[in-house]
Amino acid sequence: MTTDRRVLVHPDRATLAGSVAARFVTKLIDLIDDEGEAHVVLTGGSVGIEVLAAIAHSPARDSIDWDAVHLWWGDERWLPRGDADRNETQARTALIDHIAIPAENVHPFPASDEGLELDAAAEAYAAELARFGRDGAEHPRFAIMFLGVGPDGHIASLFPERPGPLVSDRTVIAVHDSPKPPAGRLSLTVPVIRATERVWLVLAGADKAPALGLALAEADPASVPAAAALGTKRTVFFVDTEAAADVPESLRTPPSYWTGAMETHDWMPSSWEPSDYRRS
């Protein structure tokens, strides 16, 4: 497994969201062209949803063959279907409702009003993952996984000093004692994250700087779950300047931006190197 972590620093969160969105569109087009399909894991959080909204507003959005894309989630709050605080609801509003993706290609976690207990819901999502695994695998081959990072270093709903980051025998866990409300949550586990080809962590704000610094320093994942986030091909932290306060200069990579045939927006600076852009 690669231990290569790159940090792309952007001047502000709007530029960050637009840059990640443009990179995602280009990478997804390439992946579908090469593989015929792509399984993608979405995240919640304010910056994660801003990225999805930027994808929806991209003039290249419809260049993606959405019939070939499957969308999943890294975690979810145990709330009724359609609740405004569900990651699924926010993702639908920001992106999914605006693209021509088949309903059967969207794989949300179960909701609290669907007749399942939390532990049974975790088992149900694990079964759904396994349904799309190749050659008996427990989950699909995820091409891209978006993750947010909390100020405490949590990713998905894997929180510090809780059992979640250490679970290795399941693909999905039920979280009964989340330190952030609601207490009940569902989450993918570290083995699924580390089996993903490209892990893209997106974070902004000065409150995220300590967690980012500890993750890059390879802290104990039990205390800083973000330190466990590694992709099999690439791991990229997309951050703004405030979040990058504790990042050594040696780990920073100048970001690249798509301007190509796309309409130029105020979040798209004019520098772009195709070789840099596509490799992520």
Side-chain angles (χ1 to χ4, degrees), residues 5 210-220 224 226-227 237 246-248 251:
R5 288 183 170 107
L212 176 59
L214 289 169
L216 294 170
E218 300 183 0
D220 182 356
V224 185
F237 290 83
D246 295 337
V247 177
L251 292 179

Side-chain angles (χ1 to χ4, degrees), residues 152-154 159-162 165-166 214 219-227:
D152 60 355
H154 83 266
F159 293 97
E161 315 305 337
R162 295 289 201 278
L166 303 179
L214 289 169
D220 182 356
S223 300
V224 185

Side-chain angles (χ1 to χ4, degrees), residues 27 41 231:
K27 176 54 66 177
V41 179

